Amino acid sequence: MTLALVIVAMPAHSVLINDLYVAEVVTVSQSDAQRRRDAATGLRDVLVRVSGRVDVVEHPLVAAALRSPEDYYTEFSYQTVENVGSDDELPASTPQEAPAPQKMQIRFEPSLISDLLRRADLPVWGSNRPSVLFWVARGSGAERAVLGEGSSGLFARSVRERAKSRGVPVYFPVWDLEDSSRVTVSEIWGRFLDQIEAASERYSPDKLLVVRVEKRYAGQWHVDWSYGDQGEWRVGTLLKASEAEAAVALVDEITALLSAQYAGTSARTALRLNVEGISGVAALAEVERYLQRLSSVLDVRLRRVKGDLLTFDVRSEGDLQQLIDLIALDRDLTLLSSDVGASTVWYRWSGEN
């Protein structure tokens, strides 16, 4: 699957993910039966990407949709594949002497996908997604090394491929003299989080993931990870049979955490949103357009204008904290204060006036 990531240069903030609703499936046949199987595979991939959850396929409504994938896509096309990549899988029934593989590209209808997930009470995650900086110390015997942006080993490749298919903007530090002077391999291995957080300032990521990965007894791969930002961390451990499996499982866990924080849910929130620092009519219109573009916002109504202060009534999917986290990704609005009990937030406009 080729998913377009629009990644800005350092410092990196949130990232706009293109083609969330497009799937590419490697196939060798354009028969009706194979097309339906390939479309079901593509629908599954899109549903996982848009929800951020691997277990989405276990829901009965999703399972039923996978039996009729043609109800959810608007167009498809084929193209010949010269070289099948490591993240592309040929159908299991493909004979050894088969014609050159092709890719079926399927474009699904966003409103139908979103409606299906909402009916199943599953999250819907928009295209504006937080960037995650991976600090990984990999151990092999007595040797330890940090994986940088130029790393091409199995763990780094597997992380990148899985993150791309999940629509998560993941990147590694440059690991140049500036990085190594701020944090050492031993500090990453030991997960000295304060030092690592300070060393990450040059990148301005939305989230940090600090990972220690090593091959242990009986060939098992052990992963310890810490995920978070601004001094708030969650930790976890993985044990997998292979290095690639460990990388894939790690990305899936982090994707689920990101979805839980940023994806809209079936819950509805009505709130009062105040924005100060508005200098004119053009800025007022820009703030209103900005709020309407947020993926979880259902409705925006301007309630009052008083000097440089705007007051909006907003209806949103998910809870108030999810909306605050989503707005924080763009950094156009600076949070001044919030009152969860009164469902009221105050911001200062930092976008263009």
Side-chain angles (χ1 to χ4, degrees), residues 36 75 253 301:
R36 172 169 282 204
E75 60 182 71
E253 289 211 18
R301 296 181 185 274

Side-chain angles (χ1 to χ4, degrees), residues 6 22 29 58 69-70 80 109 114 119 145 151 155 169 172 204 256 309 319:
V6 181
V22 176
S29 170
E58 298 173 8
E70 63 277 2
T80 301
E109 171 54 47
S114 300
R119 285 190 289 112
S151 297
F155 192 87
F172 294 86
S204 263
L309 177 66
D319 58 29

Side-chain angles (χ1 to χ4, degrees), residues 312-350:
F312 295 93
D313 288 330
V314 177
R315 288 194 308 115
S316 176
E317 293 178 322
D319 58 29
L320 177 57
Q321 187 57 53
Q322 283 182 314
L323 180 62
I324 290 172
D325 291 341
L326 184 63
I327 290 174
L329 289 178
D330 293 315
R331 313 185 189 190
D332 287 324
L333 289 172
T334 301
L335 182 65
L336 301 178
S337 62
S338 63
D339 185 337
V340 176
S343 295
T344 303
V345 288
W346 289 265
Y347 283 96
R348 172 173 288 276
W349 177 243
S350 50

Side-chain angles (χ1 to χ4, degrees), residues 268-333:
R268 297 291 185 268
T269 299
L271 65 137
R272 187 69 50 78
L273 191 148
N274 302 285
V275 183
E276 65 177 50
I278 304 304
S279 63
V281 175
L284 184 157
E286 182 61 29
V287 173
E288 192 166 17
R289 284 194 295 268
Y290 167 77
L291 293 174
Q292 291 169 342
R293 287 196 302 266
L294 293 172
S295 60
S296 67
V297 167
L298 302 171
D299 185 59
V300 178
R301 296 181 185 274
L302 179 62
R303 181 181 183 86
R304 183 176 62 185
V305 180
K306 185 177 181 180
D308 74 340
L309 177 66
L310 306 179
T311 300
F312 295 93
D313 288 330
V314 177
R315 288 194 308 115
S316 176
E317 293 178 322
D319 58 29
L320 177 57
Q321 187 57 53
Q322 283 182 314
L323 180 62
I324 290 172
D325 291 341
L326 184 63
I327 290 174
L329 289 178
D330 293 315
R331 313 185 189 190
D332 287 324
L333 289 172

Side-chain angles (χ1 to χ4, degrees), residues 28-337:
V28 292
S29 170
Q30 297 185 20
S31 68
D32 291 343
Q34 186 63 48
R35 182 181 303 127
R36 172 169 282 204
R37 287 192 291 269
D38 294 338
T41 299
L43 178 58
R44 180 200 64 199
D45 292 345
V46 165
L47 288 168
V48 170
R49 187 184 310 131
V50 175
S51 69
R53 289 175 43 174
V54 178
D55 63 350
V56 66
V57 296
E58 298 173 8
H59 194 283
L61 285 178
V62 173
L66 291 174
R67 292 193 290 270
S68 301
E70 63 277 2
D71 293 341
Y72 295 88
Y73 64 76
T74 57
E75 60 182 71
F76 64 89
S77 61
Y78 291 92
Q79 65 182 61
T80 301
V81 180
E82 297 298 331
N83 294 299
V84 178
S86 59
D87 57 342
D88 296 320
E89 294 182 2
L90 288 169
S93 59
T94 302
Q96 287 187 347
E97 296 300 328
Q102 298 176 316
K103 273 189 178 180
M104 179 185 180
Q105 184 179 86
I106 317 142
R107 186 172 297 275
F108 292 90
E109 171 54 47
S111 62
L112 297 178
I113 298 296
S114 300
D115 179 66
L116 172 61
L117 291 172
R118 290 188 177 104
R119 285 190 289 112
D121 197 22
L122 290 162
V124 178
W125 193 6
S127 59
N128 189 25
R129 299 194 170 187
S131 59
V132 186
L133 178 61
F134 273 48
W135 291 94
V136 180
R138 181 184 181 277
S140 179
E143 296 183 1
R144 297 171 185 173
V146 175
L147 303 187
E149 68 171 10
S151 297
S152 58
L154 181 58
F155 192 87
R157 292 201 315 273
S158 299
V159 163
R160 292 188 183 105
E161 289 171 3
R162 190 64 162 190
K164 183 181 292 186
S165 71
R166 294 291 179 255
V168 178
V170 161
Y171 61 105
F172 294 86
V174 178
W175 196 240
D176 55 7
L177 288 175
E178 183 174 348
D179 283 337
S180 59
S181 67
R182 292 187 176 189
V183 63
T184 66
V185 177
S186 296
E187 287 170 337
I188 299 171
W189 184 265
R191 288 184 292 166
F192 287 73
L193 301 178
D194 288 343
Q195 290 94 317
I196 295 168
E197 197 160 4
S200 302
E201 290 178 357
R202 70 184 293 208
Y203 300 100
S204 263
D206 295 300
K207 296 292 181 182
L208 295 175
L209 184 70
V210 185
V211 181
R212 177 175 65 206
V213 55
E214 61 179 326
K215 189 174 183 179
R216 289 192 175 178
Y217 44 83
Q220 297 283 301
W221 284 87
H222 188 270
V223 177
D224 292 307
W225 56 264
S226 298
Y227 160 85
D229 66 330
Q230 300 179 9
E232 297 184 4
W233 297 91
R234 299 185 63 163
V235 298
T237 299
L238 294 167
L239 189 65
K240 294 295 178 180
S242 73
E243 191 173 4
E245 288 176 340
V248 165
L250 176 64
V251 172
D252 284 348
E253 289 211 18
I254 301 310
T255 301
L257 291 174
L258 290 167
S259 173
Q261 181 174 0
Y262 294 102
T265 65
S266 59
R268 297 291 185 268
T269 299
L271 65 137
R272 187 69 50 78
L273 191 148
N274 302 285
V275 183
E276 65 177 50
I278 304 304
S279 63
V281 175
L284 184 157
E286 182 61 29
V287 173
E288 192 166 17
R289 284 194 295 268
Y290 167 77
L291 293 174
Q292 291 169 342
R293 287 196 302 266
L294 293 172
S295 60
S296 67
V297 167
L298 302 171
D299 185 59
V300 178
R301 296 181 185 274
L302 179 62
R303 181 181 183 86
R304 183 176 62 185
V305 180
K306 185 177 181 180
D308 74 340
L309 177 66
L310 306 179
T311 300
F312 295 93
D313 288 330
V314 177
R315 288 194 308 115
S316 176
E317 293 178 322
D319 58 29
L320 177 57
Q321 187 57 53
Q322 283 182 314
L323 180 62
I324 290 172
D325 291 341
L326 184 63
I327 290 174
L329 289 178
D330 293 315
R331 313 185 189 190
D332 287 324
L333 289 172
T334 301
L335 182 65
L336 301 178
S337 62

